[in-house]
Amino acid sequence: MPTPLPHPTSEADRPDAPEPSLAIGLSAVIVAVTGDDPKVLTIRHGDGRDSLPSGPLERGHRTLEVGLRSWVERQTLQVLGHVEQLYTFGDRDRGEDGTRALSLAYLALVREARPAGDADAAWQSWYRYFPWEDWRDGRPGVLDGLEPGLRAWAAGAASSRMGEMRAERVALCFGGAARGSEAGWNEERVLERYELLYEAGLVAEALRERGSDRLAPGTSGAEMREDHRRMLALAIARLRGKIKYRPVVFELMPPSFTLGQLQRTVEALSGTPLHKQNFRRLVEQQRLVEETGETTAETGGRPARLVRFRREVLLERPAPGLRLPGGFGRR
């Protein structure tokens, strides 16, 4: 994760300056998959920008996790199962009126439910916010709009050496994507790509932070409030990495499902296509599922076998993930 730039000396930096008050906020990245679409639960605001379900830690909250669950249920009526902490965001400038604000982000995986509550809660595709991350149908067209900005940012560096470093970062994050190639694309570098686009001024949040009234490029994805898109980027990166060594994908599946449904869910999360036969062979070799003895005709073709997650695998080996191969698969 990029190191924050030092802030200029201010009154608050003096040794005798009073300690700022501390506010703790709690935010939830709640993920579900419906069909072929990975979704995140958001709150829509009057200004047209979405946010994650969030709220402050209150005196009556016994623990941070209790506080998080309380805010989510209050805003969306969504009852969370397993949650895990993602990261603590604590930049000094996040607070207002001299208040130092910490925000703790959590990741939760659920089967999609109809949200309700006092706020305008809705499920949104996470590719609405990160359209350049979806490679299931080939190179995303939105990269055509981002590529000139990335080139201009690298060329506009204050020195040739800095320009080279910027170009290296673009190559590391986007691989050959900006040149129309999938070579070098790493699906787990979601946060690094967002941070680079932010630094290059190619996302609306960066322009808002800099007080610019220039419209953000239409290809930069939907804007979110505060640093919530950064939180979502971290959650996507964490989940894409985790499905390779932990069976977390099954938290998003119904009790019984077909292997085709499982493959589409993994492809939706990773944003990459997978070879059908290789994927099925991988799942069977690792004995991650077992047959239920039932079939379904919902696939539109001949009846497909229904399977379920074989929970005994959790006791049989320490890292029972899908162990997907690096790079892109082929259908």
Side-chain angles (χ1 to χ4, degrees):
M1 184 172 299
T3 303
L5 296 175
H7 293 277
T9 303
S10 66
E11 187 72 18
D13 294 314
R14 291 172 42 191
D16 57 345
E19 287 292 328
S21 57
L22 182 65
I24 299 178
L26 306 168
S27 299
V29 181
I30 306 171
V31 175
V33 176
T34 301
D36 299 340
D37 201 8
K39 294 189 175 182
V40 59
L41 189 56
T42 64
I43 307 297
R44 175 59 59 90
H45 299 273
D47 59 6
R49 290 180 291 164
D50 300 336
S51 72
L52 300 171
S54 304
L57 180 67
E58 298 177 341
R59 187 179 298 274
H61 295 154
R62 182 173 53 85
T63 65
L64 295 171
E65 188 173 316
V66 167
L68 178 80
R69 293 176 184 273
S70 174
W71 273 110
V72 170
E73 291 181 22
R74 191 182 311 176
Q75 292 181 359
T76 70
L77 297 188
Q78 176 76 51
V79 178
L80 299 182
H82 170 75
V83 299
E84 63 177 85
Q85 187 173 340
L86 277 173
Y87 192 73
T88 300
F89 295 81
D91 294 350
R92 187 178 61 192
D93 294 338
R94 295 187 80 258
E96 299 178 356
D97 302 325
T99 299
R100 182 70 178 268
L102 297 179
S103 185
L104 280 71
Y106 287 79
L107 171 65
L109 306 181
V110 299
R111 298 184 180 96
E112 182 175 348
R114 181 187 177 98
D118 297 333
D120 187 7
W123 291 100
Q124 300 283 358
S125 170
W126 74 26
Y127 294 123
R128 163 180 163 83
Y129 309 101
F130 300 94
W132 55 86
E133 293 290 341
D134 188 1
W135 285 73
R136 288 174 292 176
D137 294 323
R139 179 179 179 273
V142 297
L143 288 171
D144 293 335
L146 292 175
E147 189 228 355
L150 291 170
R151 283 203 313 262
W153 174 73
S159 67
S160 59
R161 176 55 185 154
M162 183 176 293
E164 292 174 359
M165 293 175 64
R166 286 184 174 185
E168 289 173 0
R169 284 184 59 196
V170 172
L172 180 66
C173 290
F174 288 89
R179 300 186 299 275
S181 169
E182 63 192 35
W185 181 268
N186 184 331
E187 69 274 10
E188 294 183 39
R189 295 189 182 274
V190 187
L191 179 60
E192 294 168 75
R193 281 188 282 272
Y194 175 73
E195 295 281 18
L196 191 151
L197 293 172
Y198 185 100
E199 189 173 339
L202 297 176
V203 292
E205 288 87 342
L207 300 178
R208 186 179 73 238
E209 178 73 19
R210 299 167 191 177
S212 173
D213 57 0
R214 180 170 62 89
L215 293 177
T219 57
S220 61
E223 181 183 4
M224 298 189 80
R225 281 192 163 193
E226 299 174 354
D227 50 4
H228 286 195
R229 191 150 48 144
R230 186 180 180 214
M231 294 180 185
L232 178 55
L234 177 59
I236 296 172
R238 173 78 62 86
L239 190 52
R240 284 181 169 182
K242 201 163 188 177
I243 60 177
K244 298 175 183 178
Y245 65 90
R246 296 297 301 169
V248 293
V249 66
F250 296 103
E251 298 289 338
L252 300 165
M253 303 300 297
S256 60
F257 48 88
T258 67
L259 290 178
Q261 290 173 325
L262 178 62
Q263 178 176 338
R264 289 192 296 273
T265 297
V266 175
E267 289 176 330
L269 296 173
S270 65
T272 60
L274 298 170
H275 188 281
K276 178 178 178 180
Q277 296 305 322
N278 288 347
F279 177 81
R280 296 192 173 201
R281 188 179 303 112
L282 186 69
V283 172
E284 291 172 356
Q285 287 176 348
Q286 297 179 35
R287 302 181 63 218
L288 294 173
V289 300
E290 60 186 5
E291 294 192 17
T292 66
E294 300 177 345
T295 61
T296 178
E298 294 181 1
T299 57
R302 61 182 181 180
R305 296 175 300 169
L306 287 172
V307 298
R308 58 177 167 244
F309 174 51
R310 196 174 68 85
R311 295 198 171 274
E312 290 80 4
V313 75
L314 297 172
L315 303 176
E316 295 172 355
R317 56 181 185 268
L322 287 169
R323 302 181 187 177
L324 299 175
F328 288 78
R330 287 283 181 257
R331 287 191 179 92

